[in-house]
């Protein structure tokens, strides 16, 4: 019997895990992935999967996580080509643009970063590397997913008197 003020959803399996709580391994493998998800949901799923990958030492679990992460990146590929829905444009809109421009760790576009991540996953799935190399590749994958996540969730629009416009971005290339 349903309670009228219940907070239980009717289909909890279609909700991507909240990034603040760590989803279980089984939840990560069973969560549905698809283009019905929005950009931020799929990015959160990618982050959860790569977090679990870094923390997992069992080979079967690592392979399963790599497969799911690869699938999530394929969904991301489709979402990157689709127009942003209005509610995400609102979330990516600021009242005042930062004057110093934008610092991006890598001077490349999101689709290229996504491709790099997918290539690293394929390397991990081939299992041709030594364990130390696998750890380094997984660490690099973790870092690139973080960069991709941060870049795609960064403000893109500014609210002006004429409406919402794109923020003009000047990329600072810093050499260390």
């Amino acid at each position: 019997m349903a309670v009228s003020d219940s907070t239980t959803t009717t289909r909890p399996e279609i909700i991507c895990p909240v990034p603040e709580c760590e989803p279980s391994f089984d939840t990560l493998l069973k969560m549905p992935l698809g283009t019905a998800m929005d950009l931020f949901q799929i990015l959160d799923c990618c982050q959860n999967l790569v977090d679990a990958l870094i923390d997992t030492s069992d080979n079967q679990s690592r392979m399963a996580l790599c497969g799911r992460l690869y699938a999530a990146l394929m969904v991301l590929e489709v979402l990157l080509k689709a127009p942003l829905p209005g509610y995400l444009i609102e979330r990516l809109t600021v009242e005042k643009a930062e004057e110093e421009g934008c610092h991006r760790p890598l001077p490349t576009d999101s689709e290229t970063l996504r491709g790099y991540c997918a290539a690293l996953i394929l390397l991990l799935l081939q299992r041709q590397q030594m364990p130390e190399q696998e750890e380094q590749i997984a660490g690099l994958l973790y870092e690139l997913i973080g960069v991709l996540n941060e870049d795609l969730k960064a403000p893109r629009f500014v609210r002006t008197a004429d409406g919402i416009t794109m923020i003009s971005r000047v990329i600072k290339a810093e050499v260390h």
Side-chain angles (χ1 to χ4, degrees):
M1 178 182 217
V3 178
S4 61
D5 16 316
S6 172
T7 58
T8 307
T9 58
T10 56
R11 304 233 5 234
E13 71 275 5
I14 64 170
I15 298 173
C16 186
V18 179
E20 289 83 359
C21 62
E22 299 212 7
S24 72
F25 179 77
D26 288 336
T27 303
L28 288 172
L29 293 182
K30 291 178 182 176
M31 73 176 141
L33 298 171
T35 55
M37 299 172 81
D38 71 29
L39 181 65
F40 286 10
Q41 289 172 324
I42 202 70
L43 286 170
D44 289 342
C45 289
C46 287
Q47 190 64 55
N48 287 333
L49 288 162
V50 79
D51 288 347
L53 178 66
I54 290 295
D55 294 337
T56 302
S57 57
D58 175 62
N59 286 332
Q60 279 186 313
S61 299
R62 289 177 68 91
M63 294 301 100
L65 289 166
C66 282
R68 291 297 289 171
L69 184 53
Y70 189 79
L73 288 172
M74 294 301 102
V75 172
L76 181 60
E77 179 179 27
V78 173
L79 293 176
L80 287 173
K81 295 175 182 172
L84 280 173
Y87 68 93
L88 284 184
I89 291 174
E90 278 300 315
R91 286 182 63 183
L92 294 169
T93 300
V94 293
E95 297 300 319
K96 182 179 177 187
E98 295 179 15
E99 292 183 22
E100 70 270 2
C102 160
H103 170 71
R104 290 175 63 182
L106 296 172
T108 189
D109 62 282
S110 301
E111 179 52 36
T112 302
L113 275 177
R114 189 217 57 81
Y116 292 162
C117 293
L120 290 173
I121 292 168
L122 291 176
L123 273 176
L124 289 173
L125 286 169
Q126 291 174 1
R127 308 249 331 128
Q128 298 296 313
Q129 300 78 27
M130 296 181 62
E132 302 83 35
Q133 292 172 321
E134 270 192 27
E135 289 304 314
Q136 292 173 340
I137 292 169
L140 179 58
L141 177 61
Y142 175 84
E143 295 294 329
L144 287 178
I145 292 286
V147 168
L148 185 63
N149 206 335
E150 184 179 312
D151 181 52
L152 287 172
K153 290 183 177 181
R156 296 269 192 269
F157 308 97
V158 64
R159 196 175 314 281
T160 66
D162 297 329
I164 295 176
T165 61
M166 289 285 294
I167 295 174
S168 62
R169 293 181 172 249
V170 178
I171 299 172
K172 296 180 183 179
E174 296 178 1
V175 178
H176 296 281

